[in-house]
Amino acid sequence: MTQPTGAQPTGDPSTQPVSTSVPPSRAPLAQDTLAAVQAALGAEHAAAWVYGLVSAFLPASFDKPIGDGAQAHRAQRDTTERLLGASGATPAPAEPAYLPPKPVTNQASALELVIGAEQDCAVAWRAVLERTDDADVRTTAALALTESAVRATRWRKAAGITPLTPALPGQP
Amino acid sequence: MSTTGSLTRRALLLATSAAAGLVGAAGLAACTPTAAAPPPPDPLAELEARALADAALARGLALVPDLAAKATVVAEARTEHARVLRAEMDRERPPKPSSSSSAATTTTQAAPTPPTDPPAAAQALLDGLTKARQEAVDVVARLPRYRAGLVGSVAAGCASLLEVLA
């Protein structure tokens, strides 16, 4: 799991996402659901950051999957922030930086990190599935879990890592 | 005084025996199997059936040299899906000792045969996994929480297996 470095976010309250100033347009999320969705948002923030980092260590042949993955995580982050904002919650901001579990020094360690980031997202979204009864949140979580699992499999193929996929992605 | 006492005792005995009779009747009613309709099939049963069908198809394809590696990954993963789905169904509705579902599952795994038309079988496997993913996503919103997590992982697993075969 990619950990925040512990540095404080630089944003002040006036620069919080716009969505929080919008009146809630849906029922508040239950406490356990809210915590799980915030954790999944944290995993998406971390994944977006990881894609930015690994691009420096991977050859140009990886530009397309890096771009696609980064875009997908930004889109998922925005969707999740809108969901939280519409429920009257304040989306947790991204950390300024994250600490990879292992130093990234070359192509192999970069691939390992990006696969780990996708796995973290899959685990976080499966946890959301188990902590909500809301059909919309379930659908969002199931799609995010599936997309992260598929991207992880693509990266394992590219890296030549087997098995290419666990039987049950997102199962901790 | 004594009459009143005897009446009271008789009344008490009558009341007690009546109450005992009622309790007995209630007890009998509770033990008698009700003639209600059998419970509806478990919604996971369909997902399990598709997992078993995909696994059988993939085990056959694994005998085709060009497809062996990928088909084996699919066969093992779909067998695992069927196993965890069955375990969850048995947990919620324990099977009668006489009907051993695990034995039935084992017998279906016997002796895979290579497909007569490997490209058609490979396409059938792709179609099966695509349908399995969709069915799992469709059902995930309507399940209890623990099952939603499990079925979400099955959907993600099917999507990943499609990527393995791609």
Side-chain angles (χ1 to χ4, degrees):
Chain A
M1 183 105 181
T2 309
Q3 296 294 333
T5 54
Q8 289 302 308
T10 49
D12 66 78
S14 64
T15 60
Q16 290 292 310
V18 182
S19 55
T20 57
S21 63
V22 183
S25 58
R26 50 167 292 140
L29 298 171
Q31 204 59 45
D32 56 344
T33 307
L34 178 61
V37 174
Q38 291 280 26
L41 176 59
E44 293 294 338
H45 280 313
W49 183 88
V50 160
Y51 272 87
L53 174 71
V54 298
S55 62
F57 295 92
L58 297 176
S61 58
F62 286 108
D63 282 356
K64 171 123 175 58
I66 290 172
D68 292 349
Q71 174 57 34
H73 285 290
R74 283 196 296 269
Q76 191 60 51
R77 175 198 67 196
D78 294 349
T79 302
T80 311
E81 285 179 346
R82 275 196 301 276
L83 169 70
L84 287 164
S87 309
T90 304
E95 303 291 339
Y98 295 81
L99 186 64
K102 281 196 243 173
V104 178
T105 53
N106 55 21
Q107 178 169 329
S109 51
L111 288 169
E112 200 179 322
L113 180 65
V114 77
I115 291 165
E118 295 292 2
Q119 287 176 167
D120 288 348
C121 288
V123 169
W125 285 112
R126 166 156 169 166
V128 172
L129 281 178
E130 293 179 340
R131 285 171 184 79
T132 186
D133 300 309
D134 183 299
D136 290 344
V137 178
R138 287 260 185 102
T139 305
T140 298
L143 290 176
L145 162 56
T146 298
E147 288 180 16
S148 271
V150 169
R151 276 192 298 275
T153 300
R154 269 186 210 140
W155 283 113
R156 288 192 204 95
K157 273 171 104 169
I161 293 174
T162 54
L164 289 176
T165 179
L168 296 162
Q171 180 156 277
Chain B
M1 195 65 173
S2 70
T3 315
T4 318
S6 123
L7 273 176
T8 305
R9 190 162 58 241
R10 189 177 302 148
L12 184 70
L13 283 167
L14 277 169
T16 312
S17 60
L22 275 174
V23 170
L28 271 177
C31 292
T32 310
T34 48
D42 193 302
L44 300 190
E46 208 174 316
L47 302 183
E48 181 206 27
R50 192 172 282 290
L52 288 172
D54 286 351
L57 200 51
R59 273 193 299 276
L61 276 169
L63 301 173
V64 180
D66 290 350
L67 300 169
K70 290 174 173 181
T72 301
V73 175
V74 178
E76 286 172 0
R78 292 299 273 157
T79 302
E80 175 67 4
H81 292 173
R83 191 189 65 76
V84 296
L85 289 166
R86 172 48 56 190
E88 167 56 16
M89 287 187 278
D90 287 352
R91 183 193 66 77
E92 190 175 275
R93 201 181 289 174
K96 295 188 188 92
S98 54
S99 68
S100 176
S101 55
S102 55
T105 307
T106 317
T107 51
T108 58
Q109 288 198 12
T113 50
T116 48
D117 183 355
Q123 186 58 48
L125 185 58
L126 289 176
D127 293 346
L129 288 170
T130 305
K131 286 196 190 108
R133 176 184 61 179
Q134 193 54 49
E135 283 170 3
V137 169
D138 288 346
V139 84
V140 82
R142 295 183 273 116
L143 294 170
R145 290 182 173 199
Y146 171 69
R147 289 184 155 204
L150 187 64
V151 170
S153 282
V154 169
C158 291
S160 293
L161 293 173
L162 284 167
E163 190 59 38
V164 169
L165 294 173

